[in-house]
Amino acid sequence: MTDVLDLELARKTLAAQPFSVLLGARLTAFGDGEAALELDIREELLQHYGFLHGGVLGYAADNTLTFAAGSVLGPRLITAGYSIDYLRPASGAVLCACAHVVRAGRTLAVCRCDLSTVDTAGTEKLCAVAQGTIAVAEHAKG
């Protein structure tokens, strides 16, 4: 397998993740240290107050941070850690996660991610921010 990823290969990688398929995640941008992921907000993903579950936001942050890092470090990566700050309850029609590499070395990348919801009128609201460290995992399957 090549160590150079493009949007098509990155989308195939996402499609190979059963949990991402379950959530209906879509990779909408990938390359040059950036990545964007979207998923439709639907009833099964809500918590008891009717807002998008924080675990879904965490998933989106984690995966988008890793894809952003993958655009500069290659395909064999694993999340070393991330933190997320919830700024407001997430509600709307679509969750958008946009991440970029802050700094990449040979074996680690530090990335940031903004998570926003978009309602049916197209209004975007920032609901969470995340930062993560992504590591090269030589032992990971290709």
Side-chain angles (χ1 to χ4, degrees):
M1 179 175 176
T2 179
D3 280 349
V4 177
L5 292 176
D6 59 13
L7 180 58
E8 181 182 345
L9 186 55
R11 284 179 171 158
K12 287 179 183 178
T13 300
L14 183 70
Q17 299 173 356
F19 191 64
S20 293
V21 172
L22 177 70
L23 292 177
R26 303 175 296 276
L27 199 59
T28 59
F30 176 84
D32 297 324
E34 297 184 350
L37 182 138
E38 291 183 352
L39 61 85
D40 296 329
I41 297 173
R42 54 187 202 274
E43 189 173 344
E44 310 90 280
L45 304 179
L46 305 181
Q47 43 88 299
H48 61 287
Y49 291 122
F51 301 115
L52 187 62
H53 194 284
V56 177
L57 291 160
Y59 153 81
D62 182 12
N63 229 8
T64 310
L65 290 163
T66 303
F67 273 102
S71 73
V72 296
L73 292 180
R76 290 176 177 81
L77 302 176
I78 193 160
T79 303
Y82 77 95
S83 64
I84 187 167
D85 292 304
Y86 301 101
L87 306 176
R88 73 173 70 219
S91 62
V94 177
L95 174 67
C96 301
C98 298
H100 68 275
V101 173
V102 175
R103 184 177 187 289
R106 285 184 312 102
T107 60
L108 290 175
V110 173
C111 304
R112 294 201 45 179
C113 183
D114 289 343
L115 297 108
S116 301
T117 56
V118 180
D119 65 19
T120 55
T123 303
E124 190 173 323
K125 291 185 179 176
L126 183 66
C127 57
V129 294
Q131 180 169 301
T133 302
I134 312 302
V136 172
E138 293 297 328
H139 62 281
K141 293 191 287 184

